[in-house]
Amino acid sequence: MGNIVLIGFRGTGKSTLGKRLAKKLGMGFVDTDELICEETGMSIPKIFEEKGEEWFRRVEEKIVSRVCELDNFCIACGGGVVLSKSNVEKLRKNSKVILLKSSPKVIFNRIRGDANRPALTKKEELFDEIRFLLSERKNFYESAADFVVDTSRKGVNSCVKEIIDWLNCVGFL
Ligand code: S3P
């Protein structure tokens, strides 16, 4: 059958939609960030603080290799997973890759004050970081995706419906 992989920036709804989608389709669900925390015994902020982003990305690659071996799973990926070409190649092999997109303002409102999301740049303002990274990562996200859903203004149910309609359309379901 294969997997459904959800990619996209922080706060675009990967975990929320992924869980709902998995339940609705009778698939398993995994979140790469959760697996990284289980594997390392550390929270994401602690990893960034004590080990740094490069170390985090290496663990992330290892986890991606592992989740790619799954079947019939919905896989929610950390926002930076697409920065590695080998992650994208592995994820695309046995999965439909769906990009969740939202506007910078919506992302800002969803993630501000979330202590579980360490800074990824030296920018003082979170809004500036979001805008900067979205434009830096735009091509990575878009070229990795088979389908794109804008989650800015739609509720969870209508996003899930949009994804299921598309999966039916391409013969995945
Ligand atoms: C990151 C996104 C986070 C997490 C880490 C790095 C990124 O995942 O993997 O903080 O580089 O965008 P979420 O997108 O689930 O918040």
Side-chain angles (χ1 to χ4, degrees), residues 8-11 14-15 31-33 36 44 48 53 56-57 60 77-81 83 116-118 120 133 137 141:
F9 199 70
R10 291 168 158 177
K14 292 164 292 178
S15 303
D31 181 311
T32 59
D33 281 345
I36 291 169
I44 302 287
F48 272 72
E53 183 172 349
F56 171 84
R57 298 292 173 206
E60 190 173 52
C77 295
V81 95
L83 299 173
N116 211 29
R117 292 184 158 115
L120 298 167
L133 289 177
R137 292 179 179 179
Y141 284 136

mmCIF file of all heavy atoms in Angstrom, residues 8-11 14-15 31-33 36 44 48 53 56-57 60 77-81 83 116-118 120 133 137 141, ligand 1:
data_model
loop_
_atom_site.group_PDB
_atom_site.id
_atom_site.type_symbol
_atom_site.label_atom_id
_atom_site.label_comp_id
_atom_site.label_asym_id
_atom_site.label_seq_id
_atom_site.Cartn_x
_atom_site.Cartn_y
_atom_site.Cartn_z
ATOM 1 N N GLY A 8 5.988 20.117 5.796
ATOM 2 C CA GLY A 8 5.579 21.520 5.862
ATOM 3 C C GLY A 8 6.184 22.196 7.075
ATOM 4 O O GLY A 8 6.740 21.537 7.965
ATOM 5 N N PHE A 9 6.047 23.509 7.097
ATOM 6 C CA PHE A 9 6.652 24.301 8.176
ATOM 7 C C PHE A 9 5.946 24.033 9.505
ATOM 8 O O PHE A 9 4.843 23.475 9.547
ATOM 9 C CB PHE A 9 6.568 25.795 7.821
ATOM 10 C CG PHE A 9 7.538 26.641 8.599
ATOM 11 C CD1 PHE A 9 8.898 26.575 8.369
ATOM 12 C CD2 PHE A 9 7.073 27.503 9.587
ATOM 13 C CE1 PHE A 9 9.790 27.350 9.097
ATOM 14 C CE2 PHE A 9 7.962 28.287 10.325
ATOM 15 C CZ PHE A 9 9.327 28.214 10.076
ATOM 16 N N ARG A 10 6.613 24.462 10.588
ATOM 17 C CA ARG A 10 6.000 24.402 11.918
ATOM 18 C C ARG A 10 4.619 25.050 11.901
ATOM 19 O O ARG A 10 4.429 26.076 11.240
ATOM 20 C CB ARG A 10 6.850 25.201 12.893
ATOM 21 C CG ARG A 10 8.188 24.584 13.177
ATOM 22 C CD ARG A 10 9.042 25.584 13.903
ATOM 23 N NE ARG A 10 10.101 24.918 14.638
ATOM 24 C CZ ARG A 10 11.037 25.541 15.329
ATOM 25 N NH1 ARG A 10 11.059 26.853 15.367
ATOM 26 N NH2 ARG A 10 11.952 24.864 15.978
ATOM 27 N N GLY A 11 3.682 24.465 12.620
ATOM 28 C CA GLY A 11 2.381 25.113 12.775
ATOM 29 C C GLY A 11 1.457 25.013 11.573
ATOM 30 O O GLY A 11 0.452 25.703 11.517
ATOM 31 N N LYS A 14 0.685 19.397 10.710
ATOM 32 C CA LYS A 14 1.092 18.038 10.328
ATOM 33 C C LYS A 14 0.661 16.975 11.342
ATOM 34 O O LYS A 14 0.127 15.936 10.972
ATOM 35 C CB LYS A 14 2.623 17.979 10.151
ATOM 36 C CG LYS A 14 3.121 18.763 8.958
ATOM 37 C CD LYS A 14 4.616 19.006 9.056
ATOM 38 C CE LYS A 14 4.892 19.953 10.191
ATOM 39 N NZ LYS A 14 6.281 20.252 10.448
ATOM 40 N N SER A 15 0.881 17.250 12.629
ATOM 41 C CA SER A 15 0.541 16.236 13.637
ATOM 42 C C SER A 15 -0.968 16.102 13.797
ATOM 43 O O SER A 15 -1.499 14.986 13.826
ATOM 44 C CB SER A 15 1.170 16.576 14.986
ATOM 45 O OG SER A 15 2.553 16.696 14.821
ATOM 46 N N ASP A 31 5.263 10.322 14.345
ATOM 47 C CA ASP A 31 5.724 11.708 14.228
ATOM 48 C C ASP A 31 7.240 11.650 14.401
ATOM 49 O O ASP A 31 7.725 11.137 15.419
ATOM 50 C CB ASP A 31 5.046 12.496 15.357
ATOM 51 C CG ASP A 31 5.410 13.957 15.356
ATOM 52 O OD1 ASP A 31 6.609 14.259 15.278
ATOM 53 O OD2 ASP A 31 4.496 14.787 15.466
ATOM 54 N N THR A 32 7.993 12.123 13.422
ATOM 55 C CA THR A 32 9.459 11.954 13.487
ATOM 56 C C THR A 32 10.055 12.660 14.714
ATOM 57 O O THR A 32 10.980 12.152 15.330
ATOM 58 C CB THR A 32 10.167 12.441 12.195
ATOM 59 O OG1 THR A 32 9.871 13.820 11.975
ATOM 60 C CG2 THR A 32 9.751 11.615 10.991
ATOM 61 N N ASP A 33 9.491 13.820 15.081
ATOM 62 C CA ASP A 33 10.011 14.517 16.275
ATOM 63 C C ASP A 33 9.824 13.668 17.536
ATOM 64 O O ASP A 33 10.707 13.611 18.392
ATOM 65 C CB ASP A 33 9.311 15.868 16.468
ATOM 66 C CG ASP A 33 9.872 16.941 15.543
ATOM 67 O OD1 ASP A 33 10.952 16.731 14.968
ATOM 68 O OD2 ASP A 33 9.222 17.995 15.417
ATOM 69 N N ILE A 36 12.371 11.012 17.589
ATOM 70 C CA ILE A 36 13.695 11.556 17.929
ATOM 71 C C ILE A 36 13.806 11.714 19.460
ATOM 72 O O ILE A 36 14.834 11.391 20.056
ATOM 73 C CB ILE A 36 13.930 12.905 17.201
ATOM 74 C CG1 ILE A 36 14.080 12.660 15.698
ATOM 75 C CG2 ILE A 36 15.150 13.642 17.765
ATOM 76 C CD1 ILE A 36 14.057 13.912 14.827
ATOM 77 N N ILE A 44 13.005 18.245 22.215
ATOM 78 C CA ILE A 44 13.585 18.963 21.054
ATOM 79 C C ILE A 44 14.382 20.208 21.519
ATOM 80 O O ILE A 44 15.535 20.376 21.095
ATOM 81 C CB ILE A 44 12.480 19.353 20.036
ATOM 82 C CG1 ILE A 44 11.718 18.111 19.538
ATOM 83 C CG2 ILE A 44 13.058 20.166 18.878
ATOM 84 C CD1 ILE A 44 12.451 17.202 18.586
ATOM 85 N N PHE A 48 18.500 20.862 20.851
ATOM 86 C CA PHE A 48 19.060 22.049 20.186
ATOM 87 C C PHE A 48 20.028 22.782 21.108
ATOM 88 O O PHE A 48 21.067 23.275 20.668
ATOM 89 C CB PHE A 48 17.933 22.980 19.709
ATOM 90 C CG PHE A 48 17.433 22.642 18.334
ATOM 91 C CD1 PHE A 48 16.670 21.506 18.123
ATOM 92 C CD2 PHE A 48 17.749 23.432 17.236
ATOM 93 C CE1 PHE A 48 16.207 21.167 16.845
ATOM 94 C CE2 PHE A 48 17.302 23.108 15.956
ATOM 95 C CZ PHE A 48 16.528 21.974 15.773
ATOM 96 N N GLU A 53 21.903 21.963 16.208
ATOM 97 C CA GLU A 53 21.017 21.562 15.104
ATOM 98 C C GLU A 53 21.626 20.450 14.237
ATOM 99 O O GLU A 53 20.923 19.549 13.791
ATOM 100 C CB GLU A 53 20.659 22.784 14.231
ATOM 101 C CG GLU A 53 19.689 22.393 13.128
ATOM 102 C CD GLU A 53 19.125 23.570 12.328
ATOM 103 O OE1 GLU A 53 19.304 24.732 12.742
ATOM 104 O OE2 GLU A 53 18.507 23.293 11.282
ATOM 105 N N PHE A 56 21.003 17.186 15.753
ATOM 106 C CA PHE A 56 19.575 16.891 15.598
ATOM 107 C C PHE A 56 19.296 16.352 14.192
ATOM 108 O O PHE A 56 18.574 15.375 14.012
ATOM 109 C CB PHE A 56 18.754 18.155 15.868
ATOM 110 C CG PHE A 56 17.295 18.014 15.520
ATOM 111 C CD1 PHE A 56 16.406 17.441 16.416
ATOM 112 C CD2 PHE A 56 16.813 18.436 14.283
ATOM 113 C CE1 PHE A 56 15.059 17.281 16.084
ATOM 114 C CE2 PHE A 56 15.473 18.289 13.943
ATOM 115 C CZ PHE A 56 14.593 17.717 14.855
ATOM 116 N N ARG A 57 19.887 17.003 13.172
ATOM 117 C CA ARG A 57 19.619 16.589 11.787
ATOM 118 C C ARG A 57 20.142 15.179 11.518
ATOM 119 O O ARG A 57 19.566 14.438 10.720
ATOM 120 C CB ARG A 57 20.242 17.578 10.785
ATOM 121 C CG ARG A 57 19.695 18.996 10.859
ATOM 122 C CD ARG A 57 18.262 19.097 10.406
ATOM 123 N NE ARG A 57 17.709 20.436 10.653
ATOM 124 C CZ ARG A 57 16.423 20.696 10.828
ATOM 125 N NH1 ARG A 57 15.540 19.728 10.779
ATOM 126 N NH2 ARG A 57 16.005 21.914 11.056
ATOM 127 N N GLU A 60 17.684 12.883 12.991
ATOM 128 C CA GLU A 60 16.482 12.949 12.150
ATOM 129 C C GLU A 60 16.647 12.043 10.909
ATOM 130 O O GLU A 60 15.730 11.324 10.518
ATOM 131 C CB GLU A 60 16.240 14.405 11.736
ATOM 132 C CG GLU A 60 14.903 14.653 11.056
ATOM 133 C CD GLU A 60 14.639 16.152 10.826
ATOM 134 O OE1 GLU A 60 15.506 16.834 10.253
ATOM 135 O OE2 GLU A 60 13.563 16.627 11.218
ATOM 136 N N CYS A 77 6.283 14.677 9.581
ATOM 137 C CA CYS A 77 7.727 14.967 9.646
ATOM 138 C C CYS A 77 8.006 16.328 10.280
ATOM 139 O O CYS A 77 7.204 17.259 10.131
ATOM 140 C CB CYS A 77 8.312 14.966 8.245
ATOM 141 S SG CYS A 77 8.248 13.356 7.462
ATOM 142 N N GLY A 78 9.150 16.463 10.905
ATOM 143 C CA GLY A 78 9.598 17.765 11.395
ATOM 144 C C GLY A 78 9.750 18.727 10.213
ATOM 145 O O GLY A 78 10.017 18.297 9.075
ATOM 146 N N GLY A 79 9.579 20.016 10.493
ATOM 147 C CA GLY A 79 9.560 21.019 9.428
ATOM 148 C C GLY A 79 10.819 21.108 8.580
ATOM 149 O O GLY A 79 10.780 21.584 7.446
ATOM 150 N N GLY A 80 11.950 20.623 9.113
ATOM 151 C CA GLY A 80 13.209 20.772 8.376
ATOM 152 C C GLY A 80 13.631 19.497 7.658
ATOM 153 O O GLY A 80 14.731 19.430 7.096
ATOM 154 N N VAL A 81 12.766 18.501 7.648
ATOM 155 C CA VAL A 81 13.152 17.203 7.098
ATOM 156 C C VAL A 81 13.525 17.301 5.610
ATOM 157 O O VAL A 81 14.403 16.582 5.111
ATOM 158 C CB VAL A 81 11.993 16.188 7.367
ATOM 159 C CG1 VAL A 81 11.046 16.072 6.204
ATOM 160 C CG2 VAL A 81 12.507 14.847 7.781
ATOM 161 N N LEU A 83 15.199 19.472 4.103
ATOM 162 C CA LEU A 83 16.491 20.104 3.816
ATOM 163 C C LEU A 83 17.532 19.075 3.379
ATOM 164 O O LEU A 83 18.553 19.427 2.800
ATOM 165 C CB LEU A 83 16.995 20.865 5.058
ATOM 166 C CG LEU A 83 16.061 21.993 5.526
ATOM 167 C CD1 LEU A 83 16.547 22.572 6.845
ATOM 168 C CD2 LEU A 83 15.952 23.078 4.464
ATOM 169 N N ASN A 116 8.228 24.451 23.014
ATOM 170 C CA ASN A 116 8.798 23.235 22.437
ATOM 171 C C ASN A 116 9.435 23.463 21.069
ATOM 172 O O ASN A 116 9.854 22.521 20.417
ATOM 173 C CB ASN A 116 7.692 22.172 22.346
ATOM 174 C CG ASN A 116 8.259 20.780 22.494
ATOM 175 O OD1 ASN A 116 9.279 20.575 23.162
ATOM 176 N ND2 ASN A 116 7.628 19.823 21.852
ATOM 177 N N ARG A 117 9.454 24.757 20.639
ATOM 178 C CA ARG A 117 9.989 25.050 19.312
ATOM 179 C C ARG A 117 11.171 26.020 19.419
ATOM 180 O O ARG A 117 10.995 27.227 19.423
ATOM 181 C CB ARG A 117 8.894 25.608 18.417
ATOM 182 C CG ARG A 117 7.840 24.539 18.095
ATOM 183 C CD ARG A 117 6.809 25.048 17.143
ATOM 184 N NE ARG A 117 6.147 23.964 16.450
ATOM 185 C CZ ARG A 117 4.848 23.676 16.583
ATOM 186 N NH1 ARG A 117 4.085 24.375 17.384
ATOM 187 N NH2 ARG A 117 4.310 22.687 15.902
ATOM 188 N N PRO A 118 12.379 25.472 19.509
ATOM 189 C CA PRO A 118 13.562 26.331 19.656
ATOM 190 C C PRO A 118 13.783 27.222 18.435
ATOM 191 O O PRO A 118 13.374 26.870 17.324
ATOM 192 C CB PRO A 118 14.711 25.321 19.782
ATOM 193 C CG PRO A 118 14.204 24.063 19.160
ATOM 194 C CD PRO A 118 12.731 24.046 19.375
ATOM 195 N N LEU A 120 15.428 28.834 15.266
ATOM 196 C CA LEU A 120 16.214 28.185 14.208
ATOM 197 C C LEU A 120 17.152 29.168 13.522
ATOM 198 O O LEU A 120 17.956 28.783 12.678
ATOM 199 C CB LEU A 120 15.273 27.555 13.171
ATOM 200 C CG LEU A 120 14.357 26.455 13.714
ATOM 201 C CD1 LEU A 120 13.253 26.121 12.719
ATOM 202 C CD2 LEU A 120 15.158 25.199 14.040
ATOM 203 N N LEU A 133 12.544 31.732 6.814
ATOM 204 C CA LEU A 133 12.677 30.285 6.559
ATOM 205 C C LEU A 133 11.690 29.795 5.509
ATOM 206 O O LEU A 133 12.005 28.915 4.711
ATOM 207 C CB LEU A 133 12.514 29.486 7.863
ATOM 208 C CG LEU A 133 13.674 29.605 8.846
ATOM 209 C CD1 LEU A 133 13.364 28.825 10.129
ATOM 210 C CD2 LEU A 133 14.986 29.089 8.243
ATOM 211 N N ARG A 137 13.011 27.900 2.337
ATOM 212 C CA ARG A 137 12.654 26.482 2.165
ATOM 213 C C ARG A 137 11.611 26.224 1.082
ATOM 214 O O ARG A 137 11.280 25.068 0.824
ATOM 215 C CB ARG A 137 12.100 25.937 3.496
ATOM 216 C CG ARG A 137 13.135 25.842 4.583
ATOM 217 C CD ARG A 137 12.499 25.315 5.854
ATOM 218 N NE ARG A 137 13.460 25.173 6.935
ATOM 219 C CZ ARG A 137 13.142 24.744 8.138
ATOM 220 N NH1 ARG A 137 11.895 24.415 8.409
ATOM 221 N NH2 ARG A 137 14.068 24.637 9.079
ATOM 222 N N TYR A 141 10.318 22.470 -0.064
ATOM 223 C CA TYR A 141 8.979 21.942 0.224
ATOM 224 C C TYR A 141 8.258 21.579 -1.063
ATOM 225 O O TYR A 141 7.695 20.503 -1.194
ATOM 226 C CB TYR A 141 8.145 22.986 0.988
ATOM 227 C CG TYR A 141 8.499 23.137 2.458
ATOM 228 C CD1 TYR A 141 8.620 24.393 3.047
ATOM 229 C CD2 TYR A 141 8.677 22.017 3.272
ATOM 230 C CE1 TYR A 141 8.935 24.537 4.391
ATOM 231 C CE2 TYR A 141 8.998 22.149 4.619
ATOM 232 C CZ TYR A 141 9.116 23.415 5.180
ATOM 233 O OH TYR A 141 9.415 23.548 6.508
HETATM 234 C C1 S3P B 1 12.057 22.138 12.807
HETATM 235 C C2 S3P B 1 10.744 21.814 13.049
HETATM 236 C C3 S3P B 1 10.305 21.044 14.238
HETATM 237 C C4 S3P B 1 11.456 20.185 14.783
HETATM 238 C C5 S3P B 1 12.676 21.023 15.002
HETATM 239 C C6 S3P B 1 13.164 21.683 13.708
HETATM 240 C C7 S3P B 1 12.406 22.915 11.588
HETATM 241 O O1 S3P B 1 9.223 20.205 13.887
HETATM 242 O O2 S3P B 1 11.741 19.121 13.925
HETATM 243 O O3 S3P B 1 12.356 21.994 15.973
HETATM 244 O O4 S3P B 1 13.575 22.976 11.217
HETATM 245 O O5 S3P B 1 11.472 23.503 10.983
HETATM 246 P P1 S3P B 1 7.705 20.742 13.708
HETATM 247 O O6 S3P B 1 7.591 21.201 12.291
HETATM 248 O O7 S3P B 1 6.873 19.534 13.955
HETATM 249 O O8 S3P B 1 7.486 21.825 14.705
#
